[in-house]
Amino acid sequence: MHQGIGLEAFNAMPMRRAVHAVYECCYSVPLSADLARGRPYPDHDTLFREADALLFSLGEDSIDTILQAYPDIGRRPGSEKSAAEQCAIWCDQPEMMERLSQASKQYLEHFGFGFVMFVNGYDAERVLATMLDRMHNDIETERKIVRNELARINRTRLERMLGPEGGYDNW
């Protein structure tokens, strides 16, 4: 994944490379291409707002395609590389991990798409409680929540991609 490249370097990248860098963050070719075409961005916030607007303008089929790229809760338990991602959720209690796995399957059966949540700072118990709570939503409400969660995840990934203002010296 592109990390800490800085906004200036992102603005100057060739189109293909910029699309690839954004795709690593959001898993959407149309969103990535549109965001790359919008360059140059004067600051991070402008880029983030445009990424949100593009995400919320996508059709449901595009959102479904994005959701297919997300691994299940706890798929890579304890992964340091994925620490801020839902696939890294871990609990030392095997029964909690089994409950998460079962709830994830029920969620998929209920809504027809996998559970997505911005989990940074959450433990397995809180993720499970949120998942079970969201199972009470109707499909329209849940799809709105999913878009908001995707926006939060995208923002975090875009922040990692850009790094601090000015980027790091290695780019």
Side-chain angles (χ1 to χ4, degrees):
M1 180 186 247
H2 291 80
Q3 291 191 15
I5 62 176
L7 183 60
E8 188 175 314
F10 174 70
N11 282 335
M13 282 180 170
M15 180 68 168
R16 186 178 302 176
R17 189 164 173 210
V19 170
H20 181 258
V22 175
Y23 181 82
E24 290 177 331
C25 299
C26 68
Y27 304 136
S28 169
V29 173
L31 190 156
S32 301
D34 288 346
L35 197 63
R37 268 192 289 276
R39 295 173 302 154
Y41 293 97
D43 53 50
H44 288 196
D45 285 337
T46 304
L47 184 146
F48 298 150
R49 282 193 304 277
E50 183 63 14
D52 287 347
L54 290 168
L55 175 70
F56 284 95
S57 72
L58 292 174
E60 294 301 336
D61 288 347
S62 293
I63 297 298
D64 289 341
T65 299
I66 292 168
L67 292 172
Q68 290 175 18
Y70 280 84
D72 287 338
I73 294 284
R75 183 153 186 205
R76 292 190 294 264
S79 168
E80 288 184 30
K81 185 176 181 182
S82 303
E85 304 284 337
Q86 67 185 31
C87 61
I89 287 293
W90 171 251
C91 177
D92 288 334
Q93 302 168 1
E95 56 277 354
M96 174 56 77
M97 294 305 291
E98 180 59 28
R99 289 176 63 202
L100 271 171
S101 176
Q102 289 304 315
S104 182
K105 289 175 187 169
Q106 290 171 347
Y107 180 97
L108 176 61
E109 289 171 11
H110 183 72
F111 289 113
F113 51 86
F115 180 77
V116 172
M117 178 181 171
F118 177 77
V119 298
N120 199 7
Y122 295 118
D123 61 12
E125 192 171 315
R126 186 154 177 209
V127 171
L128 177 62
T130 301
M131 191 183 316
L132 294 174
D133 186 50
R134 284 173 47 184
M135 292 280 286
H136 297 288
N137 293 335
D138 59 65
I139 188 82
E140 185 177 323
T141 300
E142 188 58 18
R143 282 193 116 14
K144 288 177 185 176
I145 291 170
V146 164
R147 280 188 194 251
N148 284 315
E149 294 296 318
L150 289 172
R152 292 177 72 197
I153 293 166
N154 286 352
R155 165 98 28 134
T156 300
R157 290 175 176 177
L158 288 166
E159 286 172 345
R160 265 195 323 255
M161 178 191 78
L162 294 175
E165 292 286 342
Y168 297 107
D169 293 335
N170 62 340
W171 286 90

